């Protein structure tokens, strides 16, 4: 068994967190990751609501035995923080306040006895998270699926580990025990995995999201703002989303087309147009394996690899 700050502090069997993924990670996925000994997280995107959080938290709790987390998009709480209240009310093990300065929200979460985590993309983000009182840092590299920064996982992880005494996890491009072993050997406490879970039957979202990722190679992703424009999601401009290349990104990414045209042309029911957020680990998604199986196999392979030394 690999034991780290993460497993000891949160009572996990393996140092693996199932990433919060808006539109893809609901209660069933989160629950199965927790049941396998990791920590599964709900992805509570800006477009979800308190009812969704309550419903999916109940499923996660029932399937996973009580341990789960909820990931929020901090920048969007300024316009409406009811989703944060809903998340705190569920008393999850962890709440992630990612993408934005968490200072205004950390005290409320910690006062409820919930561990605070933040996915960060730069050293400036690390400083803000530390000042805010965040307890667990995730260095999220630009290889990651969904919204992310521009620095690669390995350079960011090393810089973050050299810059803080807080426990650090890595996210972005990690899909096997090789990645987990590398992070542990570097001094990290564990990993967040998202993309590798995206073909699992427990994910939510359109059917084509599961089939498209099975067809994709690691070269088939693009870092783009076009789906946010198309879907009226006012993300601050420093964060684009990494998604699979499709007809829509080929037509609009980097073209400077008017936003009205982008909005009008977007049809999420069309499998060649609808967004499939996914990272550069896409090529490693090779079957529709249950999430619990993936988590256990990542942990077992890392243990074998680390045992070589
Ligand atoms: C489909 C998808 C949706 C995501 N949505 C969110 C989200 O709502 N909140 C969040 O903090 N991170 C989100 N992320 C980022 C993940 O939490 C995590 O950083 C990422 O999946 C890790 O990299 P990987 O995809 O290479 O494993 C999303 C990622 C994916 C693939």
């Amino acid at each position: 068994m690999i034991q780290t700050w993460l497993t000891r502090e949160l009572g996990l069997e393996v140092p693996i967190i199932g990433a919060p993924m808006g539109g893809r990670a609901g209660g069933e996925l989160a629950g199965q990751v927790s049941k396998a000994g990791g920590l599964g997280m709900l992805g509570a995107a800006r477009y979800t609501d308190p009812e969704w959080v309550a419903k999916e938290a109940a499923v996660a709790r029932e399937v996973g035995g009580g341990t789960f987390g909820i990931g929020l998009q901090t920048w969007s709480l300024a316009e409406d923080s009811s989703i944060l209240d809903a998340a705190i009310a569920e008393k999850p093990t962890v709440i992630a306040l990612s993408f934005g300065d968490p200072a205004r929200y950390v005290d409320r979460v910690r006062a409820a006895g919930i561990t605070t985590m933040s996915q960060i993309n730069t050293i400036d983000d690390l400083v803000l998270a530390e000042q805010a009182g965040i307890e667990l840092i995730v260095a999220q590299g630009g290889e990651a699926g969904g919204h992310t920064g521009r620095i690669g996982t390995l350079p960011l992880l090393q810089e973050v580990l050299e810059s803080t005494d807080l426990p650090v996890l890595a996210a972005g491009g990690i899909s096997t025990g090789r990645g987990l072993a590398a992070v542990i050997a570097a001094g990290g406490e564990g990993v967040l995995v998202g993309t590798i879970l995206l073909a699992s039957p427990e994910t939510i979202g359109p059917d084509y999201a599961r089939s498209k990722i099975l067809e994709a190679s690691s070269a088939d992703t693009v870092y783009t703002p076009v789906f946010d424009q198309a879907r009226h999601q006012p993300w601050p401009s420093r964060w684009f989303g990494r998604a699979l290349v499709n007809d829509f990104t080929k037509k609009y990414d980097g073209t400077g087309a008017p936003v009205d045209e982008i909005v009008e042309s977007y049809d999420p029911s069309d499998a060649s147009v609808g967004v499939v957020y996914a990272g550069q680990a896409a090529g490693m998604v090779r079957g529709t394996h249950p999430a619990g199986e993936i988590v256990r196999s990542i942990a077992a392979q890392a243990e074998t690899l680390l045992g070589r030394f």
Side-chain angles (χ1 to χ4, degrees):
M1 299 278 272
I2 304 170
Q3 299 227 326
T4 69
W5 180 97
L6 187 69
T7 58
R8 285 190 296 273
E9 214 50 39
L10 303 188
L12 311 183
E13 289 165 40
V14 298
I16 299 172
I17 293 185
M21 297 189 284
R24 306 301 311 279
E28 187 65 32
L29 184 74
Q32 291 296 341
V33 170
S34 293
K35 195 172 165 189
L39 178 85
M41 294 189 69
L42 305 177
R46 172 178 174 273
Y47 50 80
T48 53
D49 54 33
E51 290 72 38
W52 185 88
V53 170
K55 187 164 130 270
E56 299 300 324
V59 175
R61 201 177 289 115
E62 169 148 356
V63 173
T67 307
F68 70 103
I70 303 176
L72 303 171
Q73 298 168 354
T74 310
W75 62 268
S76 72
L77 300 177
E79 56 179 6
D80 177 6
S81 68
S82 59
I83 203 147
L84 173 63
D85 298 326
I88 292 172
E90 296 304 325
K91 297 232 178 298
T93 315
V94 170
I95 286 183
L97 293 160
S98 306
F99 312 118
D101 184 353
R104 286 171 58 191
Y105 313 105
V106 171
D107 288 351
R108 276 155 75 187
V109 179
R110 289 188 63 167
I114 299 164
T115 299
T116 49
M117 178 177 108
S118 188
Q119 302 205 59
I120 58 140
N121 306 113
T122 65
I123 290 297
D124 287 348
D125 293 343
L126 170 67
V127 172
L128 288 180
E130 282 189 313
Q131 284 170 352
I134 289 283
E135 298 157 283
L136 175 57
I137 299 292
V138 182
Q140 187 209 32
E143 301 95 318
H147 287 83
T148 186
R150 292 154 202 265
I151 305 172
T153 303
L154 202 46
L156 183 66
L157 175 66
Q158 293 169 89
E159 197 177 2
V160 169
L161 284 167
E162 295 279 331
S163 309
T164 185
D165 293 327
L166 289 175
V168 176
L169 310 179
I174 296 155
S175 59
T176 66
R178 299 182 191 285
L180 172 57
V183 172
I184 300 281
E189 308 291 342
V191 296
L192 246 85
V193 295
T195 294
I196 195 65
L197 303 175
L198 287 177
S200 298
E202 302 93 346
T203 52
I204 52 176
D207 285 342
Y208 65 74
R210 277 176 294 271
S211 52
K212 292 281 176 196
I213 189 120
L214 286 168
E215 292 161 15
S217 83
S218 295
D220 293 335
T221 73
V222 60
Y223 184 64
T224 179
V226 293
F227 292 113
D228 294 325
Q229 292 167 345
R231 305 193 321 157
H232 306 285
Q233 296 301 308
W235 274 82
S237 58
R238 60 169 285 206
W239 291 291
F240 288 3
R242 185 171 296 285
L244 296 183
V245 171
N246 65 10
D247 289 352
F248 197 72
T249 64
K250 283 184 201 149
K251 186 156 180 205
Y252 290 113
D253 181 50
T255 61
V259 174
D260 287 354
E261 186 188 333
I262 291 178
V263 169
E264 296 235 322
S265 312
Y266 187 64
D267 176 6
S269 70
D270 180 344
S272 62
V273 167
V275 63
V276 180
Y277 281 120
Q280 292 178 343
M284 297 297 288
V285 183
R286 291 181 177 145
T288 55
H289 305 288
E293 200 178 287
I294 294 171
V295 167
R296 278 189 291 269
S297 107
I298 293 173
Q301 188 187 27
E303 200 172 335
T304 305
L305 287 166
L306 291 168
R308 293 192 305 162
F309 301 102

